Amino acid sequence: MKFNTALLHKDYDGDPATGSTIVPIYQSSAFAQESAEKLEAVFNNKAPGYAYTRISNPTVSAFEKRIAALEKGIGAVACSSGMAAVTMSLLNILQSGDEIIAGAGLFGGTIDLFGDLEAFGITTRFTDEVTAESVKNLITDKTKAVFTELIGNPKLNVVDLQAVSDVCHSHGIPLIIDSTTATPYLIHPFDYGADIVVHSSSKYMNGGGNSISGIIIDSGKFKWDKNRYHGFDEYAKFGKFAYLAKLRNGIWRNTGACLAPMNAYLNSVGLETLGLRMERLCSNALKLAEFLKTVPGMEVNYPALADNPYYELVKKQFDGKGGAILTLRPGSKEKAFKLINNLKYAAIATNIGDVRTLVIHAASTIYTHSTDAQKLSAGVYDDTIRISIGIEDAEDLIEDFKQAIEKIQ
Ligand SMILES: *Cc1c(COP(=O)(O)O)cnc(C)c1O
């Protein structure tokens, strides 16, 4: 099955109970069983079925199955948000005293989260660029996970996944990838050695900017050493499903990080057009980047431009596609604000992965809590505009940027 066919048909049959082509919104908190014995069996994972929506729900399960199939994982757990997915993916394996290695160019919320984890005795060692070399240099006997995004947002640096996963595995450490900005359209991280993948499915998977959600997918390949990973003793009996079983029966369930059925439904509908949208988004982004490069005084960053330092990696890992985010530096904060204010089509908003083009001045918004050093590591300058490209016609977008740029020159 190729990508667009898989989006519609892989591990998906609609709703077996009714024949509905889309699994409906099972908007129910609890599910009654015909006997006390049956409910006992469902509760104890001895029979399939549903008991309570914080633990499982048919609409949510259908979404999880589709994403697991799409990412070639053995299973997935949906969460209330991308941040919940990032948090749960790590807390499932960490305890006080442990260390994480992470890229400094991560999504701002994730950087803030790693700060919060300090209070629980979990320390993060940041590196400006996640490479085999930099990771190797930061590993200690306390390192329990390496966490990175594939295409930094908004730094737009690209990680060599195979090289980094090789280093992790030679030290018995799992590699957790936030693949939100890459999406399964650009890459299947498990093919390059990633162990756990998380997505903010609020973004490209949803596609319409209408609901928040996150998801964690397991490759099933990492061997969790029960002497090194807290609590895995109890779950060893689940074999390759140990990580997912621990997550479902532990921290994810107990913190109430579950996805609402309504949001799972909206995400499932959006997911079906991921391939079509990404094709258009990548093509639009490249066209706009190529135009912006011709404008004197503008610095444009887009990984799929031939002179970008990550171009070779983009060809190798992403089949030459650069994703749907580009950044632009017009020279000063004043010019950046004026340019943004003069755009006709782009909404001034903090999101990515919407069908419409969105722009934001990064330093004064998503990075407002960061120190100057953190901003620099994240590739956020005083004049950086992040553009999350939409599916509008490329000619209109180029025309719009052209007229807005003329007003600041
Ligand atoms: C948006 C985003 C998140 C957080 O997701 P929410 O759904 O907003 O909680 C995490 N990682 C990346 C790369 C993101 O873009």
Side-chain angles (χ1 to χ4, degrees), residues 81-83 107 110 149 153 178 180-181 200 202-203 212-213 352:
S81 67
M83 282 319 303
F107 176 71
T110 306
E149 288 164 23
N153 163 23
D178 179 338
T180 301
T181 50
S200 166
S202 323
K203 313 287 172 54
I212 301 293
S213 65
I352 54 170

Side-chain angles (χ1 to χ4, degrees), residues 173-382:
I173 299 165
L175 177 60
I176 304 182
I177 294 293
D178 179 338
S179 198
T180 301
T181 50
T183 82
Y185 178 76
L186 294 192
I187 189 170
H188 297 297
F190 295 151
D191 290 346
Y192 296 79
D195 298 292
I196 305 289
V197 167
V198 301
H199 285 278
S200 166
S201 33
S202 323
K203 313 287 172 54
Y204 299 95
M205 289 184 171
N206 175 285
N210 61 39
S211 53
I212 301 293
S213 65
I215 193 144
I216 303 166
I217 311 109
D218 184 6
S219 70
K221 290 194 190 125
F222 190 78
K223 305 269 178 289
W224 303 95
D225 178 350
K226 57 181 195 245
N227 299 315
R228 245 174 88 68
Y229 287 93
H230 167 71
F232 270 83
D233 226 355
E234 204 187 318
Y235 291 95
K237 62 174 185 256
F238 290 94
K240 65 178 183 177
F241 292 96
Y243 176 93
L244 288 172
K246 184 171 187 290
L247 185 63
R248 273 198 189 281
N249 292 291
I251 195 92
W252 171 83
R253 164 191 299 207
N254 298 333
T255 50
C258 60
L259 179 60
M262 177 73 187
N263 285 7
Y265 172 84
L266 290 168
N267 282 294
S268 287
V269 173
L271 185 65
E272 298 183 339
T273 56
L274 176 67
L276 287 178
R277 284 183 285 105
M278 282 305 289
E279 192 181 328
R280 175 63 167 250
L281 293 175
C282 292
S283 145
N284 271 3
L286 183 61
K287 283 180 188 160
L288 183 62
E290 278 170 344
F291 161 71
L292 292 170
K293 251 185 82 72
T294 66
V295 182
M298 289 287 154
E299 204 175 299
V300 54
N301 186 10
Y302 184 60
L305 284 174
D307 61 354
N308 188 280
Y310 300 103
Y311 185 59
E312 287 307 316
L313 256 181
V314 165
K315 278 204 293 195
K316 185 176 111 186
Q317 292 186 158
F318 307 145
D319 200 18
K321 300 192 179 72
I325 302 173
L326 56 156
T327 59
L328 182 61
R329 295 184 59 194
S332 69
K333 180 179 174 181
E334 291 68 39
K335 283 185 174 174
F337 270 43
K338 201 166 171 198
L339 198 162
I340 287 173
N341 290 338
N342 277 305
L343 289 168
K344 285 187 301 198
Y345 300 127
I348 306 167
T350 175
N351 192 12
I352 54 170
D354 200 326
V355 280
R356 68 212 84 238
T357 296
L358 311 173
V359 292
I360 193 161
H361 177 255
S364 64
T365 56
I366 43 180
Y367 276 83
T368 187
H369 300 299
S370 303
T371 62
D372 287 347
Q374 281 173 327
K375 282 182 207 165
L376 214 60
S377 303
V380 173
Y381 304 93
D382 216 28

Side-chain angles (χ1 to χ4, degrees), residues 382-396:
D382 216 28
D383 60 340
T384 302
I385 301 172
R386 183 186 72 185
I387 306 163
S388 170
I389 205 86
I391 62 168
E392 297 93 343
D393 292 294
E395 296 77 6
D396 287 334

Side-chain angles (χ1 to χ4, degrees), residues 56-184:
S56 61
N57 173 285
T59 315
V60 178
S61 299
F63 177 60
E64 291 170 337
K65 260 180 81 175
R66 298 181 86 165
I67 304 261
L70 199 62
E71 280 290 27
K72 305 188 195 175
I74 59 163
V77 175
C79 299
S80 53
S81 67
M83 282 319 303
V86 170
T87 309
M88 294 300 118
S89 74
L90 287 161
L91 293 190
N92 193 37
I93 57 173
L94 298 180
Q95 64 179 326
S96 175
D98 287 348
E99 288 178 3
I100 307 166
I101 295 173
L106 289 175
F107 176 71
T110 306
I111 304 248
D112 291 349
L113 168 74
F114 290 167
D116 296 335
L117 293 182
E118 298 270 343
F120 301 92
I122 296 164
T123 311
T124 306
R125 298 169 143 245
F126 288 104
T127 169
D128 271 4
E129 292 273 331
V130 174
T131 62
E133 247 341 87
S134 70
V135 167
K136 203 185 294 170
N137 290 336
L138 289 175
I139 290 176
T140 71
D141 56 358
K142 292 179 181 152
T143 310
K144 296 291 175 64
V146 174
F147 186 97
T148 187
E149 288 164 23
L150 281 178
I151 306 177
N153 163 23
K155 195 174 185 181
L156 305 178
N157 56 320
V158 179
V159 170
D160 186 340
L161 193 48
Q162 190 67 60
V164 173
S165 65
D166 286 347
V167 167
C168 291
H169 296 155
S170 68
H171 289 82
I173 299 165
L175 177 60
I176 304 182
I177 294 293
D178 179 338
S179 198
T180 301
T181 50
T183 82

